[in-house]
């Protein structure tokens, strides 16, 4: 892709998210979401492959539906209350419609159907943008609307997302689909606690973005999109395979890694709110997610890629990928748990 075009598209992504962050008027926020959607579509189609075109079409139809629903919710609220302000959504029907639209935008269950298929059709770089940056603008709206949203609906969406995210990733062999179901499960944890402790939602979102960034960069370094293709990573780079192991376990929420921190704090807050059954269900579903992360860990570190004698061996070649970003994000993905009291005080 032309560097000038790439610069314009990436700048538009930043502009759309910034508009949503700073906007307090529903039309300005909606405009930011639309700019975000339209900016990523050419990036998704840059492969000129039928699978990429199919994924882009699915993404566009889904996001257009969610945008239309969000605009309808804001117009309905303005019609009944006379207010266009984001935090003045006093009509419960409009608030529920807005939550449904934003759930469709980020891929919460049961509106998750598009996310695994779309992510599977993209390359790892665009998939990284879709899994991290594109979640920021909808969550900025959700964090502002959280006192007005129905807590029972949020809890239902969150628990359903953790269940589907855990079950859906079990039989997958494609890394991008596994990461899509991982995203659904993590979004479920964030939405469940949104009404009771929005600061924990923000903390979970930040850590999810850091860990997902690390995972995508590692898979991009190994040039792997299937489970069996990462089996050769231990021979190419033993150090990176160990970092991959720790990052995946952190995504699964194992102590003493960073990913354990948000799950621990969220379960603690749910028990404080006397929501024992949802907390138990989510903890059990976290075990299902941990199972497919352990499958990836086993393939990455404990198996060898079969190399028949008539095939060329895989040599350790010097990587041209940026290592500073990978090193920083991997360090944050693994070593943040001891700083939990400090982080909790800051948020």
């Amino acid at each position: 892709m032309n560097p000038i075009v790439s610069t314009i598209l990436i700048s538009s992504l930043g502009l759309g998210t910034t508009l949503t962050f700073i906007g307090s008027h529903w039309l300005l926020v909606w405009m930011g979401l639309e700019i975000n959607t339209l900016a990523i579509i050419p990036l998704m189609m840059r492969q000129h492959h039928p699978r990429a075109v199919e994924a882009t079409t699915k993404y566009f139809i889904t996001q257009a539906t969610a945008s239309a629903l969000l605009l309808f919710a804001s117009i309905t609220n303005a019609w009944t209350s006379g207010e266009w302000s984001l935090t003045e959504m006093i009509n419960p029907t409009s608030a529920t419609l807005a939550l449904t639209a934003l759930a469709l935008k980020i891929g919460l269950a049961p509106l998750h159907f598009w996310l695994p298929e779309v992510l599977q059709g993209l390359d790892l770089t665009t998939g990284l943008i879709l899994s991290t940056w594109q979640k920021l603008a909808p969550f900025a709206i959700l964090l502002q609307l959280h006192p007005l949203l129905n807590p029972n609906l949020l809890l239902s969406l969150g628990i359903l997302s953790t269940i589907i995210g855990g079950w859906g990733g079990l039989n997958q062999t494609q890394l991008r689909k596994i990461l899509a179901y991982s995203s659904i499960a993590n979004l479920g944890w964030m939405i469940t606690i949104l009404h009771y402790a929005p600061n924990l939602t923000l903390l979970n979102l930040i850590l999810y973005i850091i860990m997902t960034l690390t995972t995508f960069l590692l898979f991009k370094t190994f040039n792997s999109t299937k489970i069996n293709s990462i089996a050769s990573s231990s021979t190419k780079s033993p150090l990176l395979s160990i970092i991959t192991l720790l990052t995946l376990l952190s995504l699964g929420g194992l102590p003493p890694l960073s990913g354990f921190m948000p799950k621990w704090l969220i379960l603690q807050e749910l028990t404080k709110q006397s929501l024992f059954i949802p907390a138990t269900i989510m903890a059990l579903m976290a075990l299902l997610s941990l199972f497919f992360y352990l499958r990836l860990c086993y393939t990455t570190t404990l198996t060898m890629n079969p190399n028949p004698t008539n095939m060329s061996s895989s040599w350790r070649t010097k990587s041209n990928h940026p290592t500073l970003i990978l090193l920083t994000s991997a360090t944050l993905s693994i070593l943040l748990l001891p700083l939990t009291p400090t982080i909790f005080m800051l948020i």
Side-chain angles (χ1 to χ4, degrees), residues 170-239:
L170 287 180
N171 291 326
Q172 301 297 333
T173 57
Q174 299 286 336
L175 295 178
R176 286 165 293 184
K177 278 195 175 181
I178 290 174
L179 289 172
Y181 283 107
S182 164
S183 172
I184 293 167
N186 277 287
L187 291 173
W189 283 83
M190 298 176 213
I191 288 296
T192 303
I193 204 65
L194 178 64
H195 184 78
Y196 304 103
N199 54 345
L200 290 183
T201 298
L202 184 60
L203 173 65
N204 199 347
L205 179 63
I206 293 169
L207 280 175
Y208 160 75
I209 288 174
I210 292 171
M211 292 186 290
T212 306
L213 170 66
T214 309
T215 310
F216 269 98
L217 288 178
L218 287 166
F219 290 159
K220 188 171 172 57
T221 303
F222 297 140
N223 196 21
S224 300
T225 55
K226 297 179 183 176
I227 286 185
N228 57 5
S229 64
I230 60 170
S232 61
S233 61
S234 57
T235 56
K236 288 180 181 178
S237 176
L239 178 61

Side-chain angles (χ1 to χ4, degrees), residues 6 26 41 57 78 93 124 173 230 238 258-259:
S6 299
W26 265 113
I41 283 173
T57 307
T93 307
L124 288 170
T173 57
I230 60 170
S258 302

Side-chain angles (χ1 to χ4, degrees), residues 239-262:
L239 178 61
L240 281 183
S241 66
I242 293 171
I243 293 174
T244 306
L245 166 71
L246 293 173
T247 305
L248 290 170
L249 291 178
S250 183
L251 261 175
L254 271 189
L257 302 169
S258 302
F260 176 65
M261 185 205 307

Side-chain angles (χ1 to χ4, degrees), residues 230-300:
I230 60 170
S232 61
S233 61
S234 57
T235 56
K236 288 180 181 178
S237 176
L239 178 61
L240 281 183
S241 66
I242 293 171
I243 293 174
T244 306
L245 166 71
L246 293 173
T247 305
L248 290 170
L249 291 178
S250 183
L251 261 175
L254 271 189
L257 302 169
S258 302
F260 176 65
M261 185 205 307
K263 289 183 170 55
W264 166 33
L265 295 173
I266 288 172
L267 289 176
Q268 184 181 14
E269 185 63 31
L270 287 175
T271 50
K272 282 181 184 176
Q273 301 290 338
S274 300
L275 298 168
F276 302 112
I277 294 176
T280 306
I281 293 171
M282 291 174 68
L284 290 174
M285 290 305 111
L287 293 177
L288 284 180
S289 298
L290 183 60
F291 177 76
F292 60 76
Y293 292 129
L294 285 173
R295 279 181 63 210
L296 290 177
C297 294
Y298 174 77
T299 310
T300 306

Side-chain angles (χ1 to χ4, degrees), residues 24-35:
S24 59
H25 193 283
W26 265 113
L27 286 181
L28 185 62
V29 168
W30 179 81
M31 194 185 304
L33 291 171
E34 283 300 291
I35 293 172

Side-chain angles (χ1 to χ4, degrees), residues 297-318:
C297 294
Y298 174 77
T299 310
T300 306
T301 55
L302 298 176
T303 59
M304 295 288 290
N305 196 36
N307 247 345
T309 53
N310 61 347
M311 289 179 62
S312 57
S313 298
S314 204
W315 290 89
R316 297 186 195 178
T317 54
K318 187 176 180 181

